[in-house]
Amino acid sequence: MSTNIKISPSILSADFSKLGEEIISLDKAGADYIHVDVMDGHFVPNITIGPEIIKKLRPVTKKIFDVHLMIEPVDKYIKDFADAGADIITFHPEATPSTEETIELIKKFNKKVGISLKPKSDISLIEKYLEKIDLILIMSVEPGFAGQKFMPDVLPKLKKLKEIITEKKLKVDLEIDGGINFENCKTAINAGANVLVSGSTIFKQNNGDLKKNISLLRSS
Ligand code: DX5
Ligand code: ZN
């Protein structure tokens, strides 16, 4: 039985012609966060949305905007995402010359700081920053596209991070992102995840019944 699991639906699988309505529906369906995947066609092969769209979406909900930046460079855009209304700003350490400076920059705008690890990225990339951040986003697919298959090889990394965080008594959320479904969400939670991102499962399963899909993921 899991306690305090947060669900962060990825709007990458929403109908982009009516994003505002989709977010209102996610809000009503019980989402905790709204996961916004920002891709630049450079750090990852796909291109999605930027700060202007986030700014337009901001008034439709009070939910936390969990903004996952898959862009390089990243520092020059932090202010734009902060001003647009992001609440959590997550970046990839490979996308910045100084992880430390990017953390400080996000904090300067009073935003929560997340760092993301791609499936092959090692814990050593973030270990010395754990005291300074709010969230670790563990990618369980290669970043770039929704609808990919969950990679169970990332679970040992998740477990290890959970151990380190528990041992150091840190308040760092562990978010898992990519290919999460009604089966593997249990494994991810058991390995230590407390925030689940999901695009395809939430928008496509059970004929797109958002409420049902969110509660099925949460109650795992
Ligand atoms: C991938 C994104 C994920 C992804 C989630 O680069 O970061 O947020 O879109 O979608 P599903 O749940 O379909 O894998
Ligand atoms: Zn994401």
mmCIF file of all heavy atoms in Angstrom, residues 35 37 68 70 137 177 197, ligand 2:
data_model
loop_
_atom_site.group_PDB
_atom_site.id
_atom_site.type_symbol
_atom_site.label_atom_id
_atom_site.label_comp_id
_atom_site.label_asym_id
_atom_site.label_seq_id
_atom_site.Cartn_x
_atom_site.Cartn_y
_atom_site.Cartn_z
ATOM 1 N N HIS A 35 2.667 17.827 -15.789
ATOM 2 C CA HIS A 35 4.030 17.641 -16.290
ATOM 3 C C HIS A 35 4.132 18.211 -17.705
ATOM 4 O O HIS A 35 3.413 17.789 -18.612
ATOM 5 C CB HIS A 35 4.361 16.148 -16.286
ATOM 6 C CG HIS A 35 5.784 15.826 -16.605
ATOM 7 N ND1 HIS A 35 6.798 15.884 -15.677
ATOM 8 C CD2 HIS A 35 6.375 15.432 -17.762
ATOM 9 C CE1 HIS A 35 7.942 15.527 -16.239
ATOM 10 N NE2 HIS A 35 7.716 15.253 -17.517
ATOM 11 N N ASP A 37 6.543 18.758 -20.830
ATOM 12 C CA ASP A 37 7.778 18.320 -21.474
ATOM 13 C C ASP A 37 8.212 19.336 -22.514
ATOM 14 O O ASP A 37 7.551 19.513 -23.533
ATOM 15 C CB ASP A 37 7.560 16.955 -22.137
ATOM 16 C CG ASP A 37 7.499 15.835 -21.114
ATOM 17 O OD1 ASP A 37 8.435 15.728 -20.300
ATOM 18 O OD2 ASP A 37 6.508 15.077 -21.109
ATOM 19 N N HIS A 68 9.672 19.973 -17.252
ATOM 20 C CA HIS A 68 10.824 19.114 -17.543
ATOM 21 C C HIS A 68 11.524 19.654 -18.781
ATOM 22 O O HIS A 68 11.041 19.493 -19.898
ATOM 23 C CB HIS A 68 10.298 17.684 -17.763
ATOM 24 C CG HIS A 68 11.345 16.690 -18.118
ATOM 25 N ND1 HIS A 68 11.020 15.412 -18.552
ATOM 26 C CD2 HIS A 68 12.702 16.743 -18.096
ATOM 27 C CE1 HIS A 68 12.140 14.741 -18.785
ATOM 28 N NE2 HIS A 68 13.167 15.522 -18.521
ATOM 29 N N MET A 70 14.091 19.644 -21.542
ATOM 30 C CA MET A 70 15.022 18.823 -22.316
ATOM 31 C C MET A 70 15.595 19.735 -23.392
ATOM 32 O O MET A 70 15.317 19.581 -24.594
ATOM 33 C CB MET A 70 14.278 17.609 -22.914
ATOM 34 C CG MET A 70 13.940 16.567 -21.867
ATOM 35 S SD MET A 70 12.604 15.453 -22.352
ATOM 36 C CE MET A 70 11.187 16.412 -21.833
ATOM 37 N N LEU A 137 14.393 13.497 -11.185
ATOM 38 C CA LEU A 137 13.527 12.869 -12.182
ATOM 39 C C LEU A 137 14.329 11.769 -12.874
ATOM 40 O O LEU A 137 15.342 12.056 -13.524
ATOM 41 C CB LEU A 137 13.044 13.918 -13.197
ATOM 42 C CG LEU A 137 12.002 13.478 -14.215
ATOM 43 C CD1 LEU A 137 11.303 14.695 -14.792
ATOM 44 C CD2 LEU A 137 12.601 12.687 -15.346
ATOM 45 N N ASP A 177 9.739 8.810 -14.905
ATOM 46 C CA ASP A 177 9.137 9.381 -16.115
ATOM 47 C C ASP A 177 9.483 8.530 -17.335
ATOM 48 O O ASP A 177 10.649 8.414 -17.705
ATOM 49 C CB ASP A 177 9.687 10.806 -16.291
ATOM 50 C CG ASP A 177 9.101 11.532 -17.485
ATOM 51 O OD1 ASP A 177 8.145 11.031 -18.089
ATOM 52 O OD2 ASP A 177 9.610 12.630 -17.792
ATOM 53 N N VAL A 197 5.138 10.168 -13.412
ATOM 54 C CA VAL A 197 4.736 10.893 -14.624
ATOM 55 C C VAL A 197 4.082 9.873 -15.540
ATOM 56 O O VAL A 197 4.527 8.732 -15.625
ATOM 57 C CB VAL A 197 5.962 11.497 -15.341
ATOM 58 C CG1 VAL A 197 5.552 12.146 -16.667
ATOM 59 C CG2 VAL A 197 6.661 12.505 -14.456
HETATM 60 ZN ZN ZN B 2 9.017 14.343 -18.903
#
